[in-house]
Each structure stands twice: as structure tokens, then as C-alpha cells.
Amino acid sequence: MTDESDSPMTDTDSTTTGPLTAEALTADSAFTLPGFFDALADGRLLAARCTDCETHMLPPRPACYACGSRAVTLSEQPRTGEVVSYTSVNRPPSAFEHLAPITVAVVELDSSARLTGRVAAPLEDLAIGDRVELEVRDPEDVGIDPAFDLSYEAEWPVHVFERA
Amino acid sequence: MQFENVAIVDITETRKSRGKIERGNEYHSLEKYNEIISRDLLDSAGIEKSDVDGWAMGLPYAPTDESYPIRLLETLGFNVQWLTTTRDGGVSASSLLAQAAMAVESGVTETVICSLCDLPMDPYHKNKDSDGPTWDPDPRGYMKQYLLPYGCQGPNERAAHAVQRHMEEYGTTFDQLGEVPVTQRYHATLNPLAAFDEELTIEEWYESPMITDPHRLYDCVMRVNAGLGYLLTTKERAKKLTDNPVYVEGAGFNYANDVSPKPDVTVSGMGTAGDIAYENAGCGPEDIDFVQLYDDYPIMVVEQLEDLGFCEKGEGGPFVEETDLRYDGDLPLNTSGGQLSAGQPGVGAGAIQVNEAVRQLKGNAENRQIDDPRRGVVTGLANLGYGTNTTGHGCVILTNEEETHA
């Protein structure tokens, strides 16, 4: 990443925006899942921000699905937000069975971006509107069986919301 | 779209199977299901294979090769001059009905078989998750990458988010939501083709295990193998083939209606599809005698009743509680048991609704026959997405009155 034309894919809040080239969308780019999870492992939660309409997209997308603009840039997201809706997964597939029940919420971050994720709280302790904060965890600490067919889980981090 | 010269002659539907051979479940190949339904349709109309010149096929979710529709016609021995396929999830049945009606209306074909056969529970093609579907439901890795790591596995969770919001914003209660599966199960006890036909009380519904709060076991639709189909032709010909044809009065569709990052999950896109269908049919909710609403989850029924104008937005809960939804009640709902009790046969899911509407309008619903119905609404829903509501919607208005357009 040497000159400005290469940088919008990795620079957070770069002023340089425009259509991403195919060459730019490598696994290093946070506009792809490996790049997104790499950044998350480093503690940075990245969304795409549309510079035309200010829509935030999580995980990042190379074009705005609110207005269609391709003038998107990466934007580091706040870790706090509030619960929009939630459920509890009581009958997960075998690899997740020992984790059940799993509380899952749609959270609206303070940037207005929405992210679905686990919540480290039992369902009955949670309500719509509750404040939560994102934590990034190692998948092994969360207890996901690495033998399950989720090869990326071995290295990609898991995000978990804690009650703020 | 409006239709002046098209009618449904008859429908057919096989028994449902959960693919448990050891439990005596009836199970067929896709070819066999198609053979059964085409033979039934020909027999009921008293016509020959050579009288059929068009075919409209729902593409199964079960894996098929690239020329499957043509090879299937070869296997079954149908030489047709018009063929179309569709695969827009739960909208497929209403979409296929509208496509076939347009083709007959335009004159490109005269007599069309619509077939929606699928076997999501094929016992001979196990994947490693023995109770799961037999194909890769996630070819692009969307589930694995976005949802599984968060603990979400599929529509049970996604629809649960909509229920939670509806309860929060409008005060919708469990007593209200439970009315839908319990009433529909009562209808299923009267339907010999239903997959789940044992009586269900509201107490049993309350006691059933929570799957994804606030969804209980009986709120979650179950996949089944089955074949369903309908025969369409011109009005003139239909009147020669049956004493009681059913007419397509109007149809409306709405896809990709809300792809914003922050959709309101208490609103479906059915409002727009329904408005178009009502306008084409020249009628409104007050003219509807019964509803067959796509029911993967009770909340979807409640939201559609609101979005189709049977009550105000947010009033769906009180509406289902105060309205007698039984076949002999105020507004009969899913009188075959709906998919929640009759089962969800893959691409044929919405045909559970289409078929029951046609049965009722033909007067063939036997012990669950609505008293002299004139007009009914059929819907299809598809693509319950990531943090969104459904983004595929179809609404068809059917009638047994020949001249009704306003």
C-alpha cells in the first residue's frame, strides 16, 4: 500500500473513495471476510461507510445498499450500542450444543450500523433497548469445536456482546 | 395483472412424508411425484397427455441437473410447446400460478400443468447432519460466514427477531400468537393430507419446548416431501372440463422491497403486493371470504393480516384473538392446517395455500368446507434475510364467480 489510489480498501476513514477495483478486493481488504476478521482480531471493528448517504454497512460491502453509491470507505465502529431485537437458540446443531442456550441479538451500534451477535447474558436478563458492548474473543475461549466444518473458526475471532 | 380468459380446472396434492422410511413414511422420487400429480390432474379433467401443451414447473430445492425440466418431461412423456420454471422460494407457487395464467391469457399455450414437487427430506441422500436437508443449503457460505459464528442457524432465529419486535412495539401476546397454530392444527385434524393432524390445545402449545424465544416448537414450520400441482386452461375449455372452475382475479408481487441496513421487521412487503392484487381484482379486504396465508411462522400470518388490510398495523394480535379463524368462523384462515400443520414441501410450500383456496372455491373441502365462499386470498413469502423481514411476496386473489371485475 504505497500510493493513495490503493489505500481506500485498508485506510480507515480515507478521504479517497470511488469504485473498488477487482484487484483491490483481495483477502487483505476488509471489504472481504478474511480482511474483515483480520482487522477484528486486531481489535478493529470495520464497517463500510457510504460517503454519499452516510449509511454504515457491517460487514463492509463494496457498494452502498441504501443509495447504490460506490463511494464507500472503511470506518472504524464504536463498540457500544443497544439491542434492537433478540432471541435464544435453544436447539443448536451438534457442534454448538454444549453452548446452548445461545442468546443472539441484533445490535444497533452508536454509529447506526447494525450487527448480529451473541450476547453473554441469559435471555431473561435482556430487553430491547439494553446497552451492550462488543468484546472480541478467541474462538477456542468461546468453546467452538474446531473439528466442526467451520475451518475459518480456527483463526477468525468471535465477537460477543457484554451488557454495558 | 388482470385475467379475463383463464381458469383453474383442478388441483392435486400427495400425502406428506418426513422421509422416515422406518416409520412407514410414503416416499417417492421427484419423477414419481410429478408422475402422480400429472396423472391425477389429467384424470380429474378427463383429458389425455396430448391435450396438455404447456408446463410450469417449480424448480426443486433438492439438487437437479441443468436440463432437469426437459428431462422430466421426456421421462413422463409430455410433448409441450411452452415451458417455464420458477424458483423464488415460498413465492414460487403463486408466481407459477400467475405465470401460467399469463401464458394462457396471452394465447401462447392453452392447457398448462403447474407442478411443484420437492423432497427436502430424502432418506437416501443423507448428509452428515442426518436430520438436515440433503443438499448444501448454503452454497455461498452466507450461513457459515455470517450467521453460524454468531449462533444463528436459520429462519427460526431470524423470524424470532420479528416476533420480539412486534411484541415490544405493539404489545402482541403469546395468547394471541398461539391462536394461529392452534386454530390451524384444528383444521389439520380435518385434513387427511396434513403431516401433523393430532389435536393441539393452547395448553400443549404453551408447554412445548422453546426453540428460539419466543418461538415454541409448534411455531416452527416442518419440511416435508410432497408433490402438488394445478391444471390451468382457458375459461371456455375449463367449463367443459369441470363443473366448478376457479378464476384468477388478480395477482401482485413485490420483491427486494426493503434491503436497507435497518429494516422495520414488523412490516412485510405484502402490503404492496396485496394492493396490486386488490386493484386488479377490483376488490378489497372487505370482499374476501377466507385467507390462505403463507405461514412459516405465526408472526408472518399476523403481519400479513395487517399488511393486507384486515386490521391496522399492530392490531394483528388482537385481531387473531377476537376473530373466529375456523373454517365456519368470521374469517377462515389456512383451512387445510397451513404449512405449520400440513407441512412445508420445499418449492411447493406456497401451493399448500393455493390448493386449499381452490378446494374451498370448488366446494371440495369436505368436512372443513367454508359455507359458500366466493373469493379468497392466497399468499407466498420468501427470503427471510439477515436482520431483515421477508423480501419476496406474492398475493393472488381467486374467485369462483366468472364475471366479477369491478
Side-chain angles (χ1 to χ4, degrees), chain A:
Chain A
M1 300 299 158
T2 49
D3 68 37
E4 188 72 5
S5 64
D6 284 333
S7 59
M9 285 65 69
T10 50
D11 255 354
T12 303
D13 278 332
S14 163
T15 53
T16 309
T17 59
L20 301 171
T21 62
E23 295 75 31
L25 289 173
T26 66
D28 291 334
S29 164
F31 285 99
T32 67
L33 281 170
F36 169 73
F37 281 110
D38 279 351
L40 192 62
D42 292 339
R44 293 192 305 149
L45 176 66
L46 296 180
R49 179 175 64 82
C50 174
T51 59
D52 285 326
C53 78
E54 292 301 317
T55 292
H56 285 72
M57 291 157 278
L58 245 179
R61 305 289 169 87
C64 177
Y65 44 61
C67 74
S69 169
R70 297 193 171 228
V72 292
T73 187
L74 292 172
S75 166
E76 186 158 349
Q77 297 296 298
R79 289 163 169 267
T80 50
E82 75 177 50
V83 172
V84 173
S85 193
Y86 61 100
T87 182
S88 174
V89 181
N90 301 329
R91 295 283 198 282
S94 52
F96 296 88
E97 222 157 28
H98 59 293
L99 301 175
I102 306 168
T103 307
V104 178
V106 177
V107 172
E108 186 159 322
L109 299 172
D110 294 334
S111 63
S112 87
R114 283 188 183 179
L115 183 64
T116 303
R118 293 179 199 164
V119 183
L123 178 99
E124 49 274 19
D125 290 353
L126 205 62
I128 287 174
D130 277 2
R131 299 286 301 167
V132 289
E133 182 165 3
L134 181 113
E135 298 287 334
V136 180
R137 302 242 178 101
D138 194 80
E140 281 173 28
D141 295 342
V142 178
I144 296 171
D145 179 1
F148 191 61
D149 183 23
L150 293 169
S151 51
Y152 60 87
E153 286 277 5
E155 38 193 281
W156 289 5
V158 173
H159 64 269
V160 178
F161 290 102
E162 300 269 3
R163 292 171 60 86

Side-chain angles (χ1 to χ4, degrees), chain B residues 75-86:
Chain B
T75 304
L76 301 180
F78 280 88
N79 168 214
V80 299
Q81 285 72 54
W82 182 77
L83 169 65
T84 194
T85 62
T86 194

Side-chain angles (χ1 to χ4, degrees), chain B residues 38-305:
Chain B
S38 58
R39 188 188 56 213
D40 282 355
L41 290 171
L42 295 183
D43 285 352
S44 73
I47 58 175
E48 304 291 324
K49 275 184 186 177
S50 55
D51 295 319
V52 173
D53 64 353
W55 197 296
M57 193 179 297
L59 287 179
Y61 305 163
T64 51
D65 68 76
E66 74 284 359
S67 298
Y68 165 77
I70 303 170
R71 288 179 200 178
L72 180 66
L73 294 179
E74 288 177 359
T75 304
L76 301 180
F78 280 88
N79 168 214
V80 299
Q81 285 72 54
W82 182 77
L83 169 65
T84 194
T85 62
T86 194
R87 189 174 150 176
D88 42 355
V91 187
S92 299
S94 44
S95 162
L96 208 58
L97 176 58
Q99 290 181 49
M102 283 189 282
V104 171
E105 184 84 22
S106 74
V108 299
T109 182
E110 188 187 16
T111 305
V112 184
I113 286 178
C114 294
S115 78
L116 297 115
C117 303
D118 209 344
L119 36 94
M121 307 297 293
D122 180 347
Y124 297 114
H125 293 87
K126 296 274 193 203
N127 68 2
K128 61 184 179 305
D129 184 356
S130 61
D131 274 340
T134 58
W135 65 92
D136 183 356
D138 186 29
R140 293 170 195 272
Y142 164 90
M143 290 284 297
K144 282 180 195 164
Q145 292 168 342
Y146 288 101
L147 296 176
L148 281 173
Y150 308 157
C152 270
Q153 281 92 46
N156 289 348
E157 289 79 9
R158 285 174 258 165
H161 289 140
V163 185
Q164 204 77 269
R165 290 296 313 183
H166 209 280
M167 294 176 96
E168 169 83 7
E169 289 183 33
Y170 301 115
T172 309
T173 67
F174 281 127
D175 279 353
Q176 294 164 351
L177 290 165
E179 280 295 318
V180 173
V182 169
T183 305
Q184 292 189 189
R185 180 57 68 89
Y186 165 68
H187 289 146
T189 64
L190 306 172
N191 176 10
L193 295 175
F196 306 98
D197 59 1
E198 288 166 14
E199 197 187 336
L200 176 69
T201 64
I202 190 80
E203 291 77 22
E204 287 164 334
W205 176 81
Y206 262 110
E207 285 161 15
S208 70
M210 274 290 185
I211 303 298
T212 52
D213 302 70
H215 278 151
R216 292 176 166 81
L217 177 68
Y218 295 111
D219 297 327
C220 301
V221 78
M222 297 283 270
R223 292 186 181 97
V224 293
N225 301 326
L228 301 92
Y230 8 105
L231 183 71
L232 272 73
T233 189
T234 59
K235 272 188 183 179
E236 190 184 353
R237 185 149 194 234
K239 281 188 271 186
K240 291 177 189 159
L241 301 180
T242 178
D243 294 333
N244 42 11
V246 171
Y247 304 102
V248 182
E249 201 171 19
F253 296 88
N254 188 21
Y255 298 98
N257 50 296
D258 188 350
V259 293
S260 80
K262 298 200 290 179
D264 179 353
V265 294
T266 66
V267 180
S268 79
M270 190 57 78
T272 301
D275 285 349
I276 296 168
Y278 284 140
E279 189 184 341
N280 291 339
C283 72
E286 64 282 2
D287 303 308
I288 301 299
D289 298 325
F290 66 84
V291 290
Q292 311 290 345
L293 303 179
Y294 197 93
D295 62 319
D296 41 357
Y297 299 94
I299 189 65
M300 297 303 167
V301 170
V302 169
E303 289 191 4
Q304 287 179 88
L305 286 167

